[in-house]
Amino acid sequence: MADHLVTIDTASQPVHVPTGTLLNEAARLAGVEIMQPCGGQGRCGRCAVQVIAGNVRRRSALRLSQGDVAAGYALACQTVVEGDVQIVVPPQEKIERRLTTDRTAAEVSVPLGYDPERTQSVRRVWLTLDPPNLNDQTDDWSRIRTALRQKAKVKDVSVTLEQLQQIGAVLREGDWRVTAVYEVEPGHVPNSPARLIDLIPGHQDDPFMGVAIDIGTTTVTVWLVDLETGEVRAQLSEYNGQISRGEDVISRIIYASKNGGLDEMRVMVLETINRLIDTACKRAQLQNNLIYKATIVGNSTMIHLLLGIPSANIRLSPFITTVNNPPSLPAYQVVLDIHPHGTVDCLPGVASYVGADISSGVFSSGMDDTEKLTLFMDVGTNGEIVLGSRDWLVTCACSAGPAFEGAGVVYGMRATVGAIEEVWINARTYEPSFRVIGSVRPRGFCGSGLISLLAELFMTGVVDKGGHLNTQSESPRIREGEHGLEYVVAWGKESYHGRDIAITHVDIDNLLRAKAAIYAGFTVMSDRVGVPLEAVEQVLIGGSFGKYINVEKAVQIGLLPDMEWDRFQFLGNTAVRGAYYALLDREARARIQDIAARMTYIELSVDNTFYEAFNAAMFLPHTDTSRFPNVHQELAERQNVT
Amino acid sequence: MADHLVTIDTASQPVHVPTGTLLNEAARLAGVEIMQPCGGQGRCGRCAVQVIAGNVRRRSALRLSQGDVAAGYALACQTVVEGDVQIVVPPQEKIERRLTTDRTAAEVSVPLGYDPERTQSVRRVWLTLDPPNLNDQTDDWSRIRTALRQKAKVKDVSVTLEQLQQIGAVLREGDWRVTAVYEVEPGHVPNSPARLIDLIPGHQDDPFMGVAIDIGTTTVTVWLVDLETGEVRAQLSEYNGQISRGEDVISRIIYASKNGGLDEMRVMVLETINRLIDTACKRAQLQNNLIYKATIVGNSTMIHLLLGIPSANIRLSPFITTVNNPPSLPAYQVVLDIHPHGTVDCLPGVASYVGADISSGVFSSGMDDTEKLTLFMDVGTNGEIVLGSRDWLVTCACSAGPAFEGAGVVYGMRATVGAIEEVWINARTYEPSFRVIGSVRPRGFCGSGLISLLAELFMTGVVDKGGHLNTQSESPRIREGEHGLEYVVAWGKESYHGRDIAITHVDIDNLLRAKAAIYAGFTVMSDRVGVPLEAVEQVLIGGSFGKYINVEKAVQIGLLPDMEWDRFQFLGNTAVRGAYYALLDREARARIQDIAARMTYIELSVDNTFYEAFNAAMFLPHTDTSRFPNVHQELAERQNVT
């Protein structure tokens, strides 16, 4: 095969590749990371690069306009090299990585009456041993076991080979005074032998730490916790490094199923987590190896990828995980950058699309302990919903897709500087005004901006209840664009990049699908258990998505059920909070396990019910107007005014 | 530092080394292994090489004659390079490695009524699972656990991360029919969860194997066992590869305490074991990964070195091991070449100098289950002794040293071709005759030859009861040699190497010390428990040493107590036999554990008793003539005849 030279503007060196090499592969060889939110399926159009010289062959040019193609644009994941090539990578497409939140620790209060002696599974004890002599030739390890039994009531304790290789020296270095760190009932097996984590020479009283970790598809959050006081010492978040290989779990699974993809995914999320842990430790001025325990939550795909477990069967019907309740593992096996023998406890999930983040979120929301009929939702990429109370819990996942996270929408973006987060439209002129994060020139729409925009488009008649743009209007903002009909929110002259920022009819369709999936989830679940949605006494919304959305607008598009706003409560990151409680308290851990076991999972694809409910919800706000009385009243009032 | 060229006759390439490099180091760099039975302490003289050109400095020339030194001989472990050097390595000193025994499997009978279903801790079961569907989305691991519970009554089972990473593919490859291999009550913890060893696609019925291993200081023995029938499929032995770094445990501990020495020792014994396992598998025509369990015995130092656990404290007072009862370990951690997740069970020992080979030997000798007062001895390098019966067991180790294994004796050698194994001396002429293993020209003496020689020397008056050679004799065989007085057994003209083969007064002294140590062990132990030696109803002799010695001669020198010969029984390798029983039967394993716990260890160095008993035994056969009535009667009869 012929060998070609690929030159990339941002690469330090050109690379040689054979005919047929994908541009993204060539870029990777050259050390340039090109974003592939859809996992290299040619669906999202985000990996477009400009070929300024040379021969390439485009297998697909989806999402590229004819003008784009004429200007040399090509999808890096769908275009192969057929000669020497020169490429320019548009700067906005390069991977950005920065902290999305960085709050102070003050806002988390330690659970009342936290008593590590009673509730903590990881413990530290000072031992002073009698040195051996010719009348007492007890072996070193038995001497330690005896001391642990006498001093700490530890009936038995297990040890690794690596530890055995060191304890002789540790005992003598500490002159028979040592500090033992151990885990009681490892793996939560009652009456099982404790597990030695470390044996340290002398009586050591350094900080005794743990971490609670939430691996979101989009954002990874780490809380650094003092296990003696329960106090949160640092809270950090960062985008999940896997984003560059797919924005939703499906894209990640597809990527991970490729040769080497699983390892790559695993390394990427570990890099993110370990960097957060490092930063947290630096901020608290302590060493990573003082962290003896980690509790981890995430959706089932995130946990599989973290542990290097193949995830392909999560995506394929009948949607099976390898493990919902992974065993506790020593940190060195997970490659988590804490004490190598520290415990890594991935909390239990329920099913392929209802993971540990949900069981943990349900626990921290308190819904498993209330008599009120509660609807809990974590609207991230998956859209998991839980209905129930103290007595019963049902759950489902409605694969909303990442539209509300800005993916699958031409000008979609994450909730960062430059994102339009709120839109208002004049019902008569169809002229919009908007608010941009950071008050800069707009670059696109974030999730709350899209909800707001869709609600305004509908409430002002720019689109009808089917989501169709009003072509009868004389507004210049409704026009035929590259991708068909669109509505322009910001003209090129006012935008960051000089291009018109519009929402297309395809974008609107994607948003309708996302909101319809979630609402269909509500209705199918309430039908299945025979409890009408109106009976719901409170709606608890977890996840960072929930923190920013405008309930009124979300109800107007039919994403949230139409009920009094005071029944809605935004809880923030319920997942990491649950992991934090489990980190501190074995009973909390047991309750999360119990919740995971108790939750009845409803598989929506088992029959046509969901499909029918989904189709019924593909209207604004819904085919069944009686479900949204307040929205219809508002619409009627507005029409009267107009 | 200057750089010198060292040329070795048997090396493919000369090597460059700095001034001051030891010759054995230079040889190692050149890929030539020089034997160092004493661990490089300059004590044994076995590492002598001939310097035929160039400058060296001898730090010590112990055991070399002036003639040797004049001929250029130098101890490789005590001689440093000071210029370009040319060396010849005498061929008989290069490491030889061959099978010491290679018996057929027929002689071991499977324990009566062996029932793997009841006694075997490692099991295999065929599972046929219901495939998942949209109404049963149970995760893969839970599906396996449920099947194990239903089919094999396994209440719970643990799994490693590595296994979790594979089970999804295994289930689907086997189309939901799989073979599970697992260990019940791993680590012998009652009611603990089983441990998954392997999950194999389909219903697999390959052989299901185990190995019993005895790591002797001198010889490593491996039995390959069919765990379904209990049958021994192959039995192999080979010298322990560590021999080149020291012949006794003390030399090995010293070597292992040097920088890198422990790793080197570990690799050496693993190479020996794994080579034996490979050969056994080839002979039985099966793959190593069909071996799911290994039970290992050895003295405490051998077990520490196998596991890479520092052993220095075993040698230093108060003689403390790191662990007498190591945990079960997966084979990949031990680096044993069986199934990587197979169980490696190092059986429990008692103390630094009474290891698992003794607890295992006591079990297989049956002495823990008899009413007869029994003396059990395993006379290897250490000389472990056990006294007792069903009701009580005491044990001690009397550090006999390796003299009976041919070390510490100028013409000592192992029991291989060319070794004098039996000697007869004419009481009048002092002329000897002898038998040589292989009926070739003699090269030296093996242990039984030394016992025989010493007995004949004493019984014929060549030496007196103090071991002193009779200088009044006119025999040319008693003469002043390089190392003082000596008795020539074979003249140079009849020997393999053309040199006279003699036993020196220093050699005799070493043999006296060895036999005195063992006999002193008997007397101190019988005094300590208040049971006279005469009360012993049977003497069980384990270890390969015991197989070849002549009881009559051993009694004549005072190595064994003077009692009717029919009370002595030679059991061969009791250690590996115990390991074999433990491999098959959890109850046998538990009994060995119980024996190790029950045996009272008597530390001989705690007061002067042993020292006094040792001095009293430094005569032939003993200071106290009443202890050896038959020997004295025989002596008297002989004198009457003469």
Side-chain angles (χ1 to χ4, degrees), chain A residues 457-472:
Chain A
L457 289 172
F458 172 59
M459 298 302 285
T460 58
V462 179
V463 301
D464 64 14
K465 63 180 187 172
H468 308 295
L469 285 159
N470 177 2
T471 50
Q472 308 304 314

Side-chain angles (χ1 to χ4, degrees), chain B residues 386-587:
Chain B
V386 187
L387 182 65
S389 66
R390 182 183 293 171
D391 302 318
W392 53 271
L393 295 165
V394 294
T395 182
C396 70
C398 29
S399 50
F404 288 125
E405 296 180 301
V409 170
V410 174
Y411 280 97
M413 64 182 285
R414 285 182 228 113
T416 59
V417 171
I420 295 172
E421 57 171 345
E422 186 91 63
V423 180
W424 299 270
I425 296 177
N426 182 307
R428 204 167 41 76
T429 63
Y430 286 8
E431 281 302 299
S433 60
F434 47 79
R435 192 174 66 228
V436 180
I437 298 179
S439 303
V440 296
R441 281 165 174 256
R443 294 168 58 183
F445 308 104
C446 66
S448 59
L450 288 167
I451 291 170
S452 179
L453 172 58
L454 187 59
E456 284 292 298
L457 289 173
F458 171 59
M459 297 301 284
T460 57
V462 180
V463 301
D464 65 13
K465 64 182 185 172
H468 309 295
L469 285 158
N470 178 1
T471 50
Q472 307 304 314
S473 147
E474 285 171 12
S475 168
R477 300 213 170 235
I478 298 174
R479 68 179 189 191
E480 194 73 30
E482 279 283 354
H483 303 285
L485 269 182
E486 62 187 20
Y487 172 83
V488 181
V489 176
W491 299 111
K493 63 183 181 215
E494 48 186 343
S495 79
Y496 169 81
H497 36 57
R499 279 172 290 166
D500 297 346
I501 298 174
I503 184 162
T504 71
H505 75 109
V506 179
D507 296 341
I508 292 171
D509 204 57
N510 281 338
L511 291 168
L512 277 180
R513 285 174 187 283
K515 79 97 188 170
I518 291 168
Y519 195 82
F522 296 151
T523 55
V524 170
M525 202 161 60
S526 78
D527 283 358
R528 201 70 68 90
V529 294
V531 169
L533 269 183
E534 302 86 81
V536 168
E537 292 165 88
Q538 56 176 355
V539 181
L540 305 180
I541 303 173
S544 55
F545 174 88
K547 284 196 305 183
Y548 305 109
I549 61 172
N550 179 321
V551 177
E552 180 186 6
K553 308 252 170 150
V555 172
Q556 285 171 350
I557 66 168
L559 167 62
L560 294 178
D562 190 354
M563 53 178 74
E564 296 85 343
W565 300 345
D566 62 6
R567 289 201 222 167
F568 293 95
Q569 229 180 299
F570 296 99
L571 303 180
N573 191 335
T574 49
V576 73
R577 199 175 288 261
Y580 163 69
Y581 293 140
L583 180 71
L584 292 184
D585 187 344
R586 290 193 289 162
E587 284 165 31

Side-chain angles (χ1 to χ4, degrees), chain B residues 104-125:
Chain B
T104 57
E107 66 178 73
V108 182
S109 51
V110 176
L112 266 179
Y114 173 55
D115 175 11
E117 298 268 324
R118 190 175 57 80
T119 67
Q120 187 47 259
S121 66
V122 167
R123 298 177 187 183
R124 176 167 63 181
V125 64

Side-chain angles (χ1 to χ4, degrees), chain A residues 23-34:
Chain A
L23 289 183
N24 58 4
E25 273 306 312
R28 228 161 100 208
L29 291 173
V32 176
E33 288 282 350
I34 296 178

Side-chain angles (χ1 to χ4, degrees), chain A residues 137 141 165 307 322 603, chain B residues 137 141 165 307 322 601 603:
Chain A
Q137 294 175 313
W141 177 234
Q165 289 166 346
L307 299 179
T322 291
E603 173 57 53
Chain B
Q137 294 174 314
W141 177 233
Q165 289 165 347
L307 299 178
T322 290
Y601 176 69
E603 173 57 53

